[in-house]
Amino acid sequence: MTTPNSAVTWSAEESVLHIVLNRPPANALGPVIIEGLNAALDEADKLKPKVLIVSSALNGLFAAGADIKHMTTVDADSFRAYGDTLRSGLQRLVDQPALSIAAIEGLALGGGLELAMACTLRVAGASAKLGLPEVKLGLIPGAGGTQRLPRLVGRGPALDLMLTGRQLDAAEALRIGLVDRLVDTGGALAAARALAVELCAASAPAQRAVLRTVDAAADLPLPEGLSYEVEQIQQLFEDGEAAEGLAAFVGKRTPKFA
């Protein structure tokens, strides 16, 4: 399926919805891409997949950033409106019940990296380059980058990247935790699809509880975090899919999760 402008397309297979960015030359995250992303997420709301994959149709490029040409043509109010629209689109991705995987080949810069960071996990090809170069434009990352990057890699590495605006290669991105899996160049999408199969085999309520408890660890003191963990596992035992998972283990069969 496509949006009216065809800048974003998507296809569904079993429990996976694959979203593809396709706006040459750089997949700039301007109004056209944002509109397409929202249309794809509307489809996700209807289909309720277990996993979303976000990739690019452009060779050697995931997304090069926000739409700078658009930003040079707007006034302050329109700049804020553009930013709000971009931020809300990325937050919709974060808030999806489905897990999400960014399949990164080539450049993921600025808003493009912020899009990847809004996904649950990131798989990168070996030649990928990632960065947040906004300081070189007199700006800062404005679609969640200043908040999500430190949570992924820690304060020091995040400051290094954002204060210099430098690009890092995929190997360094893996080392600091910015990407989760590193594969040969050209293999990111296949690896993301294989990871999606792994994720679909597990219990979605349990996976969402993992995300909630891990995110809570960033904000709660340890005693409160441990109490929250207890609440989550108890809820899964009482109302989740634990009964099926435990019975399948005892019965030496594959669990039948929803």
Side-chain angles (χ1 to χ4, degrees), residues 14-16 50-51 99 193-207 241 244-245 248 253-258:
E14 296 186 358
S15 297
V16 179
K50 291 187 75 171
V51 178
L99 303 177
R193 286 174 169 152
L195 177 55
V197 172
E198 283 186 70
L199 295 171
C200 286
S203 166
Q207 289 170 327
E241 296 180 325
E244 168 60 16
R253 61 174 174 82
T254 302
K256 297 178 181 178
F257 294 131

Side-chain angles (χ1 to χ4, degrees), residues 16-245:
V16 179
L17 184 69
H18 181 197
I19 300 170
V20 182
L21 310 182
N22 188 14
R23 190 194 178 201
N27 280 341
L29 300 184
V32 174
I33 286 274
I34 298 169
E35 174 192 351
L37 178 61
N38 276 304
L41 294 175
D42 287 342
E43 189 70 8
D45 290 341
K46 296 174 187 175
L47 296 178
K48 301 187 182 339
K50 291 187 75 171
V51 178
L52 303 173
I53 296 174
V54 181
S55 71
S56 169
L58 305 185
N59 186 34
L61 189 141
F62 179 73
D67 193 332
I68 296 174
K69 288 184 179 179
H70 174 74
M71 289 192 290
T72 62
T73 67
V74 299
D75 59 18
D77 289 341
S78 297
F79 178 79
R80 180 180 291 274
Y82 164 60
D84 287 345
T85 302
L86 175 56
R87 285 184 285 271
S88 78
L90 298 192
Q91 190 60 45
R92 281 192 70 190
L93 180 59
V94 172
D95 292 339
Q96 272 288 316
L99 303 177
S100 52
I101 307 167
I104 304 169
E105 296 283 359
L107 297 176
L109 303 176
L113 180 53
E114 289 177 302
L115 170 59
M117 289 193 293
C119 293
T120 313
L121 297 167
R122 284 150 295 284
V123 177
S127 62
K129 299 284 187 181
L130 303 92
L132 294 171
E134 285 84 352
V135 292
K136 295 181 178 181
L137 302 176
L139 296 168
I140 64 172
T146 66
Q147 303 305 300
R148 294 192 177 103
L149 185 61
R151 285 168 167 79
L152 288 170
V153 305
R155 183 178 187 271
L159 285 176
D160 176 9
L161 291 175
M162 289 188 284
L163 292 177
T164 64
R166 71 181 180 89
Q167 295 180 22
L168 71 166
D169 62 28
E172 183 181 358
L174 178 69
R175 180 176 59 79
I176 67 174
L178 182 52
V179 301
D180 303 288
R181 296 193 180 186
L182 180 60
V183 297
D184 291 340
T185 298
L189 180 54
R193 286 174 169 152
L195 177 55
V197 172
E198 283 186 70
L199 295 171
C200 286
S203 166
Q207 289 170 327
R208 288 193 286 270
V210 167
L211 288 174
R212 288 193 296 270
T213 51
V214 169
D215 288 343
D219 301 316
L220 297 177
L222 180 58
E224 293 179 28
L226 292 172
S227 295
Y228 185 64
E229 180 186 89
V230 171
E231 295 173 8
Q232 294 298 305
I233 193 170
Q234 187 68 25
Q235 183 177 345
L236 290 169
F237 184 82
E238 294 179 12
D239 303 318
E241 296 180 325
E244 168 60 16

